[in-house]
């Protein structure tokens, strides 16, 4: 019993030190998203981008503080999609600047430059290839589809952002 109490005391002390160290010198986390963007030639690309401006604060008191990176305020449309097994997205641009978050399953995006990225739960993509133009093969935007034999569930958040050109990792 004495050993258990000693162990719990040590664990509590370590936890208190860790929490006080966090409060005194918090280090923002590192998180990434994939950005499907268009260059000035109308060619789409996939670039891995970091979220940059994390601030430790509460979203709603009395909830404790959490790291937040507020990218942009504005209007948004939230859509839940389920792509059936073997779904084929063919070549197309995103309809709006939109965040795409896989909830179940794995899907892929192939940009016009040939870069292919597979994404599953925990990954985030920013689709912004509206300014792409048909290439010599007739490709425009991106080609997307499911990986494997299962359906893929995505959360899509369409924004009121205007698409940009030559701005990979635009949220800096």
């Amino acid at each position: 019993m004495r050993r258990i109490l000693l162990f719990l005391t040590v664990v509590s002390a370590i936890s208190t030190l860790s929490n006080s160290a966090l409060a005194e010198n918090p280090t923002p986390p590192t998180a990434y998203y994939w950005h499907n963007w268009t260059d000035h030639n109308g060619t789409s690309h996939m670039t891995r981008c970091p979220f940059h401006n994390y601030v430790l604060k509460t979203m709603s008191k009395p909830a404790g503080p959490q790291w937040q990176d507020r990218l942009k305020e504005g209007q948004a449309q939230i859509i839940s999609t389920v792509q059936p097994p073997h779904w084929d997205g063919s070549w197309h641009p995103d309809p709006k600047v939109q965040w795409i978050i896989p909830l179940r399953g794995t899907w892929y995006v192939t940009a016009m430059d040939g870069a292919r990225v597979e994404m599953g739960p925990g990954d985030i993509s920013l689709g912004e290839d509206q300014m792409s133009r048909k290439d010599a093969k007739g490709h425009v935007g991106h080609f997307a589809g499911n990986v494997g034999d299962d359906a893929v569930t995505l959360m899509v958040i369409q924004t009121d952002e205007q698409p940009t050109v030559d701005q990979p990792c635009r949220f800096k």
Side-chain angles (χ1 to χ4, degrees), residues 8-9 95 104:
L8 292 175
T9 302
R104 175 181 279 163

Side-chain angles (χ1 to χ4, degrees), residues 98-154:
Q98 59 189 18
W99 292 97
I100 306 159
I101 305 156
L103 302 175
R104 175 181 279 163
T106 302
W107 71 300
Y108 67 88
V109 173
T110 302
M112 294 169 67
D113 68 0
R116 176 183 156 127
V117 176
E118 292 186 4
M119 292 168 269
D123 292 320
I124 301 171
S125 176
L126 175 61
E128 186 182 15
D129 60 0
Q130 294 81 11
M131 305 301 285
S132 60
R133 295 188 298 266
K134 283 188 182 179
D135 64 13
K137 297 177 185 174
H139 301 161
V140 63
H142 63 279
F143 191 97
N146 294 1
V147 175
D149 297 326
D150 296 323
V152 174
T153 303
L154 303 171

Side-chain angles (χ1 to χ4, degrees), residues 57-66:
K57 65 180 188 175
T58 184
M59 283 185 134
S60 178
K61 291 185 179 187
Q66 56 189 308

